[in-house]
Amino acid sequence: MEAPWAWIAAAIIPVLLLAPAIWNGYPLLQHDTGGYLARWYESHLEISRSNAYGIYLHLGQGSYFWINLACQALLTLWILHLTLRVLNMAQPLRLLTIALILITATALPWLASMLLTDIFAGLAVLALYILVVHNGKLSIAEKISLFLFTAFAAASHTATFGVLLGLCCAGWIVKPLLGPRLQIGGLVQGSLTIVTGAAMLLAANFALTGQLTWTPGGAAVSFGRMMQDGIVARYLNDHCDKIKLKLCPYRDQLPATADDFLWGNDSIFDKLGRFEGLNGEMEFIATHALVAYPLWQAEAAVEATAEQLVSVDTGEGNTGWIPHTYGIIERYLPEQVKVMRDARQQHWNMKFTAINWVHVPVALASMLLLAAIALAALWRRRLDDVDLLAATVTVALLGNAFICGVLSGPHDRYGARMVWVATFVVLIAAARFIAGRHGPPYGRRDKNFSTPSL
């Protein structure tokens, strides 16, 4: 009975994960896609655009990027299955059921179908959890594969790097409380993925640009968030009579959003030389504004984190108006222009209003239930493996909301790419509860789910 369902799950899940791209007729594109595609061809660093991910896209461009999407779908299937397996819950029918719910009720298939780093953010959290907590249940090949994937995910985006680094730090902090539940070997391997990811990123930057340096953008995106909050205008008003800054003449003309400032047409940013002309000044203002207005910065950080937590709509940026990405494809991949232009997305046939009637309530409810699972375990002062997974994902969601909300400003895309993992964990907890009522229970009476007191 198990074998047929295993084959059915293995065949159906990847196809359904790519259903949006198949329906579209071409991989889904986003505002940022063009910046990643251009990395192979342009010998300079671009703000928040990983050269490591750019190389990954280049390797699949001969297939019109369908190899990339197939890789993303198969990685998703593998990590979903592996998560269930290390929890002793990997029955094929259960995997298929959970996957179908995720495909229907979350952003997961839209992430898997898109040429963007977002799919790796949530998968990397699960991969790191498996590598650290369940290291002893993995084969050598699985350990190596998880290690390399997690490192690459860290190299693909600075926010993902930050979330994974935060999880590793949290793991070392709680190690004394959890004792044998967190083995030193697993924590070391998990931490080394971060080091390896940093090395991958530096190596990719050096290979494509000749510069052994980190991907730029931290100061610029932080500056943009402070500008949205009014902090930049206040700093300029308070200091332009003492310090000569390029932005001083424009302090009353700053746009309302960071996106308008950095990417708007004929913006002040363009007039003053973009990153080459303003990067140093933006870093100066962002750094000194932290010292000048600490309470305001703290309040803005709390508000941004809270807003980012509930910004989870699917489809932000997946519109028909992404001229920069179109331009990059036309410049460097002219053979793909016709197929790209014929896709439904480019004809404005992609609407997310009805989809978000389902996705947003599911996402918000999942986060509440996830927090309830983690808090209930802390109240009992006992953790089983699912509780520990829930706690891990809760920390990841909070870390993601803080990093993205505070540094870049709240965006639905940043929440949607991570919150589906909360739904996955809630479904695992529900499946464990149902199985516990109808058969041998998971958790306390299974030797693989020991629950020492905290």
Side-chain angles (χ1 to χ4, degrees), residues 351-359:
K351 309 294 183 182
F352 289 93
T353 301
I355 289 172
N356 281 316
W357 289 344
V358 176
H359 286 194

Side-chain angles (χ1 to χ4, degrees), residues 247-269:
L247 283 166
C248 285
Y250 302 94
R251 56 187 168 182
D252 296 325
Q253 304 172 35
L254 297 175
T257 70
D259 289 339
D260 289 337
F261 180 77
L262 293 172
W263 316 115
N265 294 325
D266 195 29
S267 69
I268 297 168
F269 186 60

Side-chain angles (χ1 to χ4, degrees), residues 209-337:
T209 70
Q211 300 178 59
L212 192 64
T213 185
W214 200 261
T215 302
V221 294
S222 296
F223 173 91
R225 195 272 303 167
M226 293 182 193
M227 189 191 66
Q228 289 184 171
D229 293 332
I231 295 172
V232 169
R234 171 68 179 276
Y235 183 86
L236 293 174
N237 285 330
D238 290 349
H239 295 84
C240 277
D241 59 337
K242 308 166 191 172
I243 308 172
K244 291 184 178 180
L245 297 170
K246 296 177 183 178
L247 283 166
C248 285
Y250 302 94
R251 56 187 168 182
D252 296 325
Q253 304 172 35
L254 297 175
T257 70
D259 289 339
D260 289 337
F261 180 77
L262 293 172
W263 316 115
N265 294 325
D266 195 29
S267 69
I268 297 168
F269 186 60
D270 291 335
K271 294 176 183 177
L272 296 179
R274 296 187 62 78
F275 297 106
E276 294 80 4
L278 271 182
N279 198 57
E281 185 164 306
M282 290 190 294
E283 183 176 355
F284 177 88
I285 294 173
T287 302
H288 285 76
L290 280 172
V291 178
Y293 316 110
L295 182 58
W296 190 356
Q297 295 278 12
E299 291 174 349
V302 171
E303 291 176 4
T305 301
E307 184 179 346
Q308 181 59 74
L309 270 176
V310 297
S311 298
V312 293
D313 286 34
T314 297
E316 184 187 30
N318 295 127
T319 68
W321 179 247
I322 44 177
H324 178 258
T325 295
Y326 297 157
I328 292 297
I329 293 175
E330 289 168 355
R331 184 184 311 168
Y332 298 118
L333 302 171
E335 71 280 3
Q336 298 192 26
V337 170

Side-chain angles (χ1 to χ4, degrees), residues 102 106-108 111 117-126 157 159-164 167 308-309 311-314 363 366-367 370 392-404 411-425:
L102 292 175
T106 76
L108 184 57
L111 300 174
T117 65
D118 291 8
I119 184 61
F120 299 141
L123 292 178
V125 170
L126 295 173
H157 199 284
T160 302
F161 183 95
V163 170
L164 297 177
L167 287 174
Q308 181 59 74
L309 270 176
S311 298
V312 293
D313 286 34
T314 297
S366 296
M367 285 192 288
L370 182 77
T392 299
V393 175
T394 299
V395 172
L397 288 172
L398 290 171
N400 180 70
F402 177 80
I403 292 170
C404 295
H411 286 74
D412 286 297
R413 181 192 138 208
Y414 302 151
R417 70 186 180 194
M418 188 72 75
V419 75
W420 69 266
V421 186
T423 307
F424 180 45
V425 177

Side-chain angles (χ1 to χ4, degrees), residues 134-152:
H134 297 282
N135 194 272
K137 299 178 182 179
L138 304 174
S139 68
I140 293 177
E142 287 171 336
K143 290 179 184 179
I144 293 173
S145 299
L146 279 174
F147 185 97
L148 292 176
F149 167 73
T150 308
F152 173 73

Side-chain angles (χ1 to χ4, degrees), residues 12 17 29 43 113 117 156 177 183 189 237 244 287 298 335:
I12 289 179
L17 284 169
L29 305 175
S43 59
S113 295
T117 65
S156 72
L177 297 175
Q183 297 292 329
Q189 288 184 42
N237 285 330
K244 291 184 178 180
T287 302
E335 71 280 3

Side-chain angles (χ1 to χ4, degrees), residues 181 381-385 387 443-444 449-454:
R181 295 300 302 281
R381 296 180 63 82
R382 302 180 72 85
L383 289 172
D384 63 24
D385 286 347
D387 296 330
R444 294 182 181 177
F449 288 83
S450 58
T451 56
S453 297
L454 294 178

